[in-house]
Amino acid sequence: MEAEGGSQGPELTETVGQLRQELRKAKDDHNMAIGAISSLQRQIEIQESELRRIRSEKDLLQRQLREREAQIKAMCDKFCRLTDEQRQEQITMMMEEENLNLQQVVTEQESQLAEQNKLISELQETISQLRAEAVTTRLQLLKHKQAHKEIQGQAEALQHKELQTRVALEHISSKFERFRNKIIQAAFSVEGSRDPVAELTDDEVLEAMQKIINERTEFRRKLKNKGSKVSLHSSDSCTASPATGKRRNSSKEKGSDG
């Protein structure tokens, strides 16, 4: 029983240590998940800010384009007030110049709008991915929390079981020590025996207990043999009494006949 209790103690301690290690690992994973979520949220905020900036630039370019159109319209109105010849020449020169400028502006704006639309699409895709990663990370965080609770519960249960095992082991050890002391007391309280000089080992205690058992067995055997002899002697006496009675009766009969 002592060996069984002693073997359970280290196993429980090792299990509790493993659970504590898993608990620390779960805490580290929990902290890493929280950091990953914070980083993803910061990236989402940066991307959304960039998206707002690009949309603002797009609105600005559209306003500039409308302003250009208003300027062209104003110039057209001005040309309407000139003479036909002057107006024709002026219109031709200005229209050519304006056409070149407008073509350049339109080309630049179309290029910028295409780049911005492409960047907006990329940013929206990135934001969607980051949000999906944030959701996945939150789910993993919930799983880690659940695992953390389960491991903590197992650790507490094993600690409680370890405490119960230690109490039971101490109780068994106390009973064993009392039993051992009784054996030693019985072994060395016999007349003629010497008290032990040093503390006895378990093998010496077992040897003393075996000696007591052998002596008691021998004593009972002697008592049994002695009892058998007494019973035999009693039975012989009982067998001899009837014969003696017969001899006495026959003597009396002979006397009376004479």
Side-chain angles (χ1 to χ4, degrees):
M1 293 176 69
E2 183 182 9
E4 185 180 357
S7 63
Q8 288 179 354
E11 290 178 359
L12 286 173
T13 303
E14 183 179 359
T15 305
V16 170
Q18 291 176 356
L19 286 173
R20 286 175 179 168
Q21 186 175 0
E22 292 179 3
L23 188 60
R24 287 193 295 270
K25 184 179 178 182
K27 288 181 178 178
D28 293 338
D29 294 339
H30 177 268
N31 294 330
M32 289 177 64
I34 291 175
I37 288 175
S38 300
S39 178
L40 288 173
Q41 288 176 344
R42 286 195 298 271
Q43 291 181 15
I44 289 173
E45 291 174 357
I46 292 171
Q47 297 293 340
E48 288 178 346
S49 176
E50 184 68 16
L51 183 60
R52 288 192 297 270
R53 185 185 66 80
I54 291 172
R55 285 176 177 170
S56 177
E57 291 179 356
K58 179 180 177 180
D59 294 336
L60 178 62
L61 288 173
Q62 289 176 345
R63 285 197 301 272
Q64 290 176 355
L65 185 60
R66 288 193 295 269
E67 290 175 358
R68 284 285 186 178
E69 290 175 352
Q71 290 176 2
I72 291 172
K73 185 178 179 181
M75 291 176 66
C76 290
D77 294 338
K78 181 180 178 182
F79 292 150
C80 290
R81 295 191 293 269
L82 299 175
T83 61
D84 292 339
E85 187 177 354
Q86 292 175 343
R87 185 168 54 202
Q88 187 66 32
E89 293 177 357
Q90 191 72 20
I91 288 173
T92 303
M93 291 176 59
M94 294 186 67
M95 287 295 292
E96 289 178 355
E97 184 180 357
E98 191 65 26
N99 283 335
L100 291 174
N101 293 333
L102 284 175
Q103 286 177 356
Q104 185 177 359
V105 170
V106 169
T107 303
E108 291 177 356
Q109 288 183 347
E110 286 178 349
S111 177
Q112 290 180 0
L113 286 174
E115 290 179 359
Q116 289 176 353
N117 289 329
K118 181 180 178 181
L119 184 58
I120 287 171
S121 299
E122 292 176 353
L123 288 173
Q124 288 176 342
E125 184 179 356
T126 302
I127 289 171
S128 299
Q129 292 178 354
L130 291 174
R131 285 175 177 170
E133 290 178 4
V135 171
T136 303
T137 306
R138 287 193 181 98
L139 290 176
Q140 291 178 353
L141 181 61
L142 290 175
K143 290 180 180 179
H144 285 313
K145 286 182 178 179
Q146 185 65 28
H148 173 75
K149 289 181 180 179
E150 291 177 358
I151 292 171
Q152 190 173 7
Q154 292 177 2
E156 290 175 355
L158 281 176
Q159 286 176 351
H160 181 67
K161 187 175 181 181
E162 181 184 12
L163 180 61
Q164 290 179 340
T165 303
R166 286 180 179 175
V167 172
L169 181 61
E170 291 176 358
H171 181 65
I172 292 170
S173 300
S174 178
K175 288 179 66 176
F176 177 76
E177 189 63 27
R178 289 197 299 270
F179 180 67
R180 189 174 185 274
N181 292 332
K182 287 182 180 179
I183 292 173
I184 295 172
Q185 185 178 3
F188 293 96
S189 63
V190 180
E191 185 178 355
S193 62
R194 296 180 180 179
D195 293 335
V197 179
E199 184 177 357
L200 297 177
T201 63
D202 291 340
D203 291 336
E204 290 173 346
V205 173
L206 290 174
E207 184 179 353
M209 184 172 67
Q210 187 63 42
K211 182 178 179 182
I212 293 172
I213 293 171
N214 294 336
E215 289 177 353
R216 290 187 177 181
T217 303
E218 181 66 20
F219 180 72
R220 288 177 181 174
R221 187 183 64 78
K222 289 180 179 180
L223 286 178
K224 186 176 181 181
N225 291 336
K226 189 177 292 185
S228 298
K229 290 180 180 180
V230 172
S231 299
L232 181 61
H233 179 69
S234 299
S235 62
D236 291 342
S237 300
C238 293
T239 305
S241 296
T244 306
K246 288 181 179 179
R247 284 198 300 271
R248 287 177 181 175
N249 291 331
S250 61
S251 299
K252 289 179 181 180
E253 289 175 356
K254 288 180 181 181
S256 61
D257 291 339

